[in-house]
């Protein structure tokens, strides 16, 4: 599957079956990236009461459902599962519990 170069959002391809699946995946990713907001950057494991659309920046190596996710990564609750999002340099994320705007630089 072809993806965009910065955010890895999937492209629709010619003659692709079930285009709605790829389009919906791309829309879910954009929902996280556009005006990105993380609820906190002080967690290493997901809260038990998370809702679809919730996102966090990992404070350390992920645990539990976030196992395998790297420190400093943005993780988002999408369709009942956690997804590690790509964060290119220059990406801005508002951290809600700190009332702070962060800019990713140098990984």
């Amino acid at each position: 599957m072809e993806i965009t170069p910065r955010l890895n959002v999937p492209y629709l391809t010619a003659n692709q079956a079930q285009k709605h699946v790829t389009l919906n995946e791309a829309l879910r990713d954009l929902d996280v990236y556009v005006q990105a907001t993380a609820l906190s950057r002080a967690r290493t494991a997901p809260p038990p009461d998370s809702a679809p659309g919730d996102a966090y920046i990992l404070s350390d190596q992920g645990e539990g459902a976030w196992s395998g996710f790297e420190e400093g990564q943005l993780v988002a609750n999408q369709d009942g599962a956690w997804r590690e999002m790509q964060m290119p340099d220059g990406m801005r994320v508002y951290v809600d519990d700190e009332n702070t705007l962060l800019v990713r630089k140098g990984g």
Side-chain angles (χ1 to χ4, degrees), residues 21-89:
V21 173
T22 302
L23 177 61
N24 288 341
E25 181 180 336
L27 292 173
R28 279 190 301 275
D29 288 354
L30 289 173
D31 191 51
V32 173
Y33 290 131
V34 175
Q35 297 183 348
T37 300
L39 296 174
S40 178
R41 62 175 174 160
R43 299 190 65 90
T44 59
D49 59 348
S50 66
D54 285 356
Y56 295 86
I57 297 174
L58 295 183
S59 65
D60 203 346
Q61 184 75 25
E63 301 170 1
W66 292 350
S67 181
F69 296 160
E70 297 295 320
E71 175 183 356
Q73 288 300 106
L74 181 68
V75 294
N77 183 336
Q78 295 183 332
D79 293 333
W82 289 97
R83 180 154 181 230
E84 187 174 30
M85 308 302 292
Q86 299 296 317
M87 290 179 46
D89 281 353

